[in-house]
């Protein structure tokens, strides 16, 4: 690589870092609409896949059926955080 006054001519580390940062920011801003969305997907059935407070976890469904655990509507508060 040729040099002029001690500075290489061509691609520098600063240029590579600047271009990488620009590409990363452009990619994040292009996908930001779906990444930062607070709307639920809905699961296609309109109710989000569960009752008013959400779906029952499969690993807890067995305990609810056995009577060892109350249903999700009784376990969660009215307005969960």
């Amino acid at each position: 690589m040729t040099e002029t006054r001690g500075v290489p001519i061509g691609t520098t580390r600063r240029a590579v870092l600047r271009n990488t940062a620009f590409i990363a920011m452009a990619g994040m801003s292009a996908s930001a609409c779906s990444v930062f969305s607070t709307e639920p997907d809905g699961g296609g059935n309109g109710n989000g896949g569960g009752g008013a407070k959400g779906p029952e976890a499969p690993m807890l469904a067995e305990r609810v059926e056995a009577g060892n655990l109350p249903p999700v509507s009784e376990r969660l508060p009215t307005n969960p955080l």
Side-chain angles (χ1 to χ4, degrees):
M1 183 174 283
T2 19
E3 294 184 358
T4 304
R5 295 185 188 187
V7 178
I9 298 174
T11 305
T12 63
R13 184 183 320 175
R14 181 176 289 169
V16 170
L17 291 173
R18 181 188 64 228
N19 294 340
T20 302
F22 175 75
I23 291 170
M25 292 299 288
M28 285 191 298
S29 65
S31 65
C33 294
S34 62
V35 172
F36 296 113
S37 175
T38 59
E39 296 297 320
D41 290 338
N45 58 4
N47 65 0
K53 298 201 179 195
E56 182 72 60
M59 59 191 243
L60 298 177
E62 298 172 3
R63 293 177 64 186
V64 171
E65 290 176 10
N68 297 334
L69 191 66
V72 71
S73 60
E74 296 174 16
R75 289 194 317 260
L76 292 179
T78 305
N79 293 321
L81 296 174

